[in-house]
Amino acid sequence: KAEPVARAEPKAPPPAPRAKTRSEREREEEDRIARELAQKKSVQVAAVSPSASAPAAAAAGMPPEDLFRQAREMETSDPKGAVKIYRSLARKGNGKAALRLGEIYDRGITGVPRDYQESLSWYQKARDLGEAVETARGRGFGGWSSAAPAPVEAPKTETPRPAAMPAEAPKTEASKPAAKSAPVAAVPTAPAAPPAPLAEEKPRAIYIVVALVAALLAVGVWLWRRRRRVRSKAAQPAQPPAAPPAADGAMLFVSYSHKDKTRIEPIVSMIEESGRQVWMDRTGITGQAGWAGQIVRAIRQSRAVVLMASPNSYASDQVVRELYLAMNHKKPIVPIEIEPAELPDELQYILAPFQHHRLSGREPREVLGRALAAV
């Protein structure tokens, strides 16, 4: 028998290359731009100073310290290019570059605007890489510095850092005695990162919001009280009771209930058109300063008291007191009934000597003329 022929299995096609993410594409683009900028800077330096000729081809392999120093020099001439170099170095693990990016976005430089969120992210990146980063208290309110941008010649990255920080204190036998004698290294919590600026901003922001709300409420209350005072002062000169009574005692005091004000105003206008002077509380002075004295003086200096009789006036304590004052000062009372009503017992004794004049079903001017003819 013939042996079966083994079939060759088809080989699986090679896997498709993985598509690069956006962050990977941006990182490659920034690295390429950083290399080109460093190469361009090296060419410029070589053209100006032949003795310091660094080959342009070696710019891509420059040490991180040289690239960092070169980016610092480029901040005044090409700030955006310097930022790109800092970004490339920081993503490769350079803590100084991350710290400088945080300072640039925190304070801002010419050509690169301030960005609060960006500065926080780069500060945190530098802190993770072992750099000493100041908290929000050292950089002003909200993590932003109120002063001008820091000069390029005095970067904060040049200040010596504690020996206990991971990036500056390698664990060697020679460094152990120095770490024990240094006061900073003796603190066990030194390697711990300081609190994030955002954690300190929240309570301060809450305090400021509460203070602003309290100030606005205080201003609102003050304006409301001032407006009330202005309105009361503006209304006082328009009050007829403030005017002095007539010297000859020809004034008529009108006693009425404020519930009947719209009904008696036409009647009072007829009395004034006949040439008689009228004292009438048109604005409601009851309860204001000195209102009782005004009522007493007006009744004492009037010739007669005209009572606008109605159920509302008979039920008004103010009208009853005015009638008692008229009786005490022996002033004649002229009751004019604008609405039929039963006379209360306490007013029968006061109004018994005086004739009542009814307006219902009659000509008002004729009734008023007869009622006021005797006074």
Side-chain angles (χ1 to χ4, degrees):
K1 295 182 179 178
E3 295 292 335
V5 180
R7 294 183 180 180
E9 295 292 336
K11 296 183 179 180
R18 182 178 62 86
K20 297 181 179 180
T21 62
R22 181 178 179 181
S23 59
E24 292 176 347
R25 293 196 300 271
E26 291 180 353
R27 188 179 297 107
E28 291 179 357
E29 181 66 17
E30 291 177 357
D31 293 343
R32 184 185 63 78
I33 294 174
R35 289 195 298 271
E36 292 179 357
L37 291 173
Q39 183 178 3
K40 181 180 178 182
K41 186 66 177 181
S42 301
V43 172
Q44 292 177 355
V45 172
V48 175
S49 177
S51 60
S53 59
M62 291 177 63
E65 293 295 333
D66 295 343
L67 280 175
F68 181 83
R69 192 180 308 109
Q70 196 168 16
R72 291 302 300 267
E73 297 174 357
M74 293 171 59
E75 287 186 11
T76 55
S77 59
D78 189 4
K80 293 184 178 180
V83 169
K84 292 180 179 180
I85 294 177
Y86 287 142
R87 283 177 176 270
S88 177
L89 291 174
R91 286 173 175 169
K92 292 179 180 180
N94 192 298
K96 289 184 179 181
L99 179 60
R100 186 56 189 160
L101 282 172
E103 293 173 350
I104 289 174
Y105 285 111
D106 185 7
R107 299 175 176 86
I109 61 175
T110 304
V112 180
R114 301 166 68 184
D115 191 330
Y116 174 60
Q117 296 296 336
E118 193 75 12
S119 69
L120 289 182
S121 63
W122 286 115
Y123 276 137
Q124 186 61 39
K125 178 73 174 178
R127 189 179 294 109
D128 295 340
L129 293 173
E131 296 293 326
V133 181
E134 293 183 355
T135 59
R137 297 182 185 273
R139 299 196 304 275
F141 169 70
W144 294 93
S145 174
S146 58
V152 177
E153 291 76 15
K156 291 187 177 181
T157 56
E158 301 299 330
T159 58
R161 289 176 295 278
M165 300 301 290
E168 301 295 335
K171 296 181 180 180
T172 61
E173 296 297 331
S175 63
K176 285 182 180 179
K180 290 181 180 179
S181 60
V184 178
V187 181
T189 58
L198 189 60
E200 296 185 2
E201 294 163 12
K202 289 182 179 179
R204 299 180 66 184
I206 293 174
Y207 296 150
I208 291 177
V209 170
V210 172
L212 289 176
V213 172
L216 290 175
L217 288 176
V219 172
V221 171
W222 179 80
L223 291 175
W224 176 72
R225 290 181 177 178
R226 184 173 180 272
R227 188 175 182 183
R228 286 190 61 185
R229 288 196 297 269
V230 171
R231 283 185 175 182
S232 61
K233 289 180 180 179
Q236 285 178 2
Q239 295 176 359
D248 57 355
M251 182 179 63
L252 299 177
F253 183 92
V254 177
S255 179
Y256 73 103
S257 172
H258 284 278
K259 296 180 180 180
D260 301 329
K261 184 177 180 180
T262 56
R263 300 175 59 184
I264 69 166
E265 281 182 347
I267 302 173
V268 174
S269 299
M270 294 179 187
I271 297 175
E272 290 177 338
E273 290 174 0
S274 65
R276 307 299 292 269
Q277 186 179 358
V278 174
W279 195 101
M280 175 183 173
D281 176 18
R282 288 186 170 89
T283 57
I285 63 174
T286 303
Q288 298 182 7
W291 67 274
Q294 295 183 30
I295 297 292
V296 173
R297 286 190 295 273
I299 293 177
R300 185 173 59 242
Q301 298 174 2
S302 64
R303 173 164 297 188
V305 174
V306 179
L307 171 63
M308 298 297 176
S310 70
N312 292 329
S313 61
Y314 289 156
S316 173
D317 294 338
Q318 182 68 25
V319 172
V320 173
R321 283 194 292 269
E322 291 172 353
L323 295 179
Y324 273 104
L325 285 173
M327 182 183 66
N328 292 338
H329 290 287
K330 299 181 179 180
K331 299 295 180 179
I333 301 175
V334 182
I336 299 177
E337 294 183 0
I338 61 176
E339 181 181 350
E342 184 179 356
L343 188 64
D345 295 340
E346 60 179 336
L347 296 181
Q348 289 184 10
Y349 177 79
I350 300 175
L351 300 179
F354 306 107
Q355 181 181 359
H356 291 238
H357 304 275
R358 296 183 179 179
L359 291 179
S360 58
R362 302 180 182 180
E363 176 62 30
R365 295 183 185 275
E366 181 181 350
V367 174
L368 292 175
R370 289 199 308 267
L372 302 177
V375 294

